Amino acid sequence: MSRESSEADLPEEAPLPGELSEALCAELIAFRRDLHMHPELGNQEFRTTAAIRARLEAAGLKPRVLPSGTGLICDIGSWDGVHPMLAIRADIDALPIPDAKAGVPYRSTVPDRAHACGHDVHTTTVLGAGLVLAELHRQGRLPAPVRLLFQPAEEVLPGGAADAIVAGVLDGVGRIIAVHCDPRVDAGRIGLRPGAITSACDRLEVALDGPGGHTARPHLTTDLVTAVARVASDVPALLARRIDARAGLALTWGRIEAGHACNVIPMHAELAGTVRCLDLGAWRDAPDLVHAAIDEVANLHGAKSEINYVRGVPPVVNDPVVTELLRDAMAARRGPYAIEDTEQSLGGEDFSWYLEHVPGAMARLGVRTPGSNARLDLHRGDFDADEAAIKVGVELFTAAALLDGNRS
């Protein structure tokens, strides 16, 4: 028998169950738009939590709100106390920036608040996956229990994941998966990368003080405007020469304040920014290096420095096995050509805290409209997502749950 004929005689692999109906797709888009119109900041997501809870309860599930009062978990199926569950995580908070989109009916109704990072999409995909998996469970077709995790305060360093872990969200969990919107990837596709996919991210606040005075006599003062300008420009340059360039450490300022009048040298100045790092080892060394560089530049100009270095999150390091689970899941739903390799970014994500406890992986969910020339980015007021990505995220999560359950 020829190879061709023997392969032709093999039965085709049965497709995975859990297809989304048009009605459910329409409902999920409406749910996402409602969240988008009512964004809430970290640890203030009461309306968002209530909306998620109500929909899960309507599906016959029993969600549990986290002790903080926002965020929740919901198990589909009963954990047997032996075999660890797969958790599917979404972050639910928004950003403190205005929604700058025009011409869309779901623009934010809350001043200076916007879902500019796609958390409304993340939340909707996990909710949709939960509704599909709950129906499969009722039909006796869900091979293993799954936990849905809707986490608050991802945008609040060091991240709401740390509090969620303390609250016990990982009890009984053996693996965890998530997605993050990526406006560089077309809707219908995902990006995957084993190993580090995001970077460490810390917050830095610096205060400079000194005797001010008249701008006519700067030699009798500590010229804090010059000092703060030199700290802003010289410290990143110093760090670039004091750490291996391959570590990818980047200090970027987001705020500088000094003075109130054109003829008065101020007595106080402030800077704030982020420290990001690709390498875990360099991240551990970063606080000492940053402190030393700031003090050196400030002392050179006679300014007293006070530094508040707030530890944020380590890199998200995708487990190779769980990454392959996501690859197999996407291939099962949409074929291998719907998957692309992605690079490590300098963005931070508190999903990393879960991976300190259990293996897991995060995929980049494409949200760019195919063929679009728009260059939208995350954390911008005009950010938006192609809503076709919601169905893709649900398909990915449901397939991963089914494949993982069958392999357990």
Side-chain angles (χ1 to χ4, degrees), residues 12 34 99 111 122 191 236 301 369 401 407:
E12 291 187 7
D34 180 70
D99 191 336
H122 305 167
H301 293 274
T369 300
R407 294 170 183 176

Side-chain angles (χ1 to χ4, degrees), residues 57-58 104 128 137 143 180 202 244 250 311 315:
E57 288 178 341
V104 296
H137 177 62
H180 199 295
D202 299 332
D244 192 327
R311 269 307 200 190

Side-chain angles (χ1 to χ4, degrees), residues 382-400:
D382 60 353
F383 171 76
D384 204 356
D386 187 323
E387 291 170 321
I390 294 172
K391 182 180 180 182
V392 179
V394 175
E395 290 175 341
L396 174 69
F397 286 144
T398 54

Side-chain angles (χ1 to χ4, degrees), residues 150-185:
F150 298 91
Q151 176 215 304
E154 189 275 332
E155 298 288 357
V156 182
L157 290 178
D163 292 333
I165 292 168
V166 172
V169 301
L170 292 181
D171 293 349
V173 170
R175 297 156 302 282
I176 188 167
I177 57 176
V179 295
H180 199 295
C181 289
D182 191 335
R184 302 165 302 171
V185 178

Side-chain angles (χ1 to χ4, degrees), residues 271-332:
L271 306 90
T274 58
V275 178
R276 300 176 185 272
C277 196
L278 298 173
D279 179 73
L280 186 59
W283 177 65
R284 294 182 176 129
D285 295 336
D288 290 340
L289 290 167
V290 170
H291 271 79
I294 292 171
D295 287 341
E296 183 175 327
V297 176
N299 290 337
L300 182 64
H301 293 274
K304 179 182 177 182
S305 60
E306 182 177 339
I307 302 167
N308 181 27
Y309 193 108
V310 181
R311 269 307 200 190
V313 295
V316 172
V317 182
N318 281 346
D319 177 80
V321 174
V322 184
T323 303
E324 283 305 302
L325 171 66
L326 292 175
R327 186 179 299 275
D328 292 344
M330 191 63 176

